Amino acid sequence: MAATPGLKQLAALGVAVTLHPYAYDPNAAHIGLAAASALGLDPAVTLKCLMVEVDGRPACCVIPSGAQLSMKRVAAAFGGKAAAMMPPAKAERLTGYHVGGISPFGQKKAVPTAFEAAASAAPRVWINAGARGLLLGIAPADALRACGGIAADLLA
């Protein structure tokens, strides 16, 4: 499998990751949960990447695959007043990735990123590597450092 922009960024930073390919199901109701199930991973540490807009500015939220964002907490985490989900087509243009394969690493345009604080406490998490059907395993501290992210309470 070709290296994604996210994998190239992590390699350039010297961040050690493990790769975990799986059979991507485009019809899955919850792609992150389907990935966790396919790989036998705990959904609490299998993270999904959601693109949002805070006061009209793009941002990235990384949360457990079975969780829901609190838009009020997202706005607060990024110092804004209101947050909303970014439309999928806009998220694809901004990140350079396809929905179902969006990674917080190696996005076409770097945006502020927040990881759910509870997931940041785990010894290892699994996040999309930038392609549908490919997760990477990484230490949360390395993930935060690689994308200049913060840990925040983001869940509903």
Side-chain angles (χ1 to χ4, degrees):
M1 179 168 280
T4 66
L7 290 173
K8 289 176 185 173
Q9 176 195 1
L10 292 167
L13 293 171
V15 176
V17 300
T18 55
L19 296 181
H20 305 271
Y22 66 95
Y24 175 79
D25 178 3
N27 299 314
H30 301 282
I31 292 168
L33 291 175
S37 176
L39 292 169
L41 298 170
D42 179 354
V45 291
T46 306
L47 308 181
K48 61 185 175 183
C49 184
L50 301 173
M51 299 304 293
V52 298
E53 293 178 301
V54 179
D55 297 342
R57 295 183 312 274
C60 177
C61 294
V62 185
I63 66 170
S65 55
Q68 298 273 332
L69 283 175
S70 159
M71 290 303 166
K72 185 176 182 176
R73 287 183 171 180
V74 168
F78 292 106
K81 293 186 184 334
M85 291 300 299
M86 185 180 289
K90 186 173 184 178
E92 289 184 342
R93 280 193 311 275
L94 183 77
T95 65
Y97 294 125
H98 293 292
V99 169
I102 293 178
S103 176
F105 313 110
Q107 292 186 2
K108 213 161 56 171
K109 181 181 189 301
V111 299
T113 302
F115 283 70
E116 170 51 37
S120 300
R124 193 155 193 82
V125 294
W126 287 262
I127 306 171
N128 199 291
R132 293 172 175 161
L134 183 63
L135 296 186
L136 60 83
I138 189 170
D142 287 340
L144 285 166
R145 183 175 53 84
C147 61
I150 61 167
D153 292 324
L154 302 171
L155 303 183

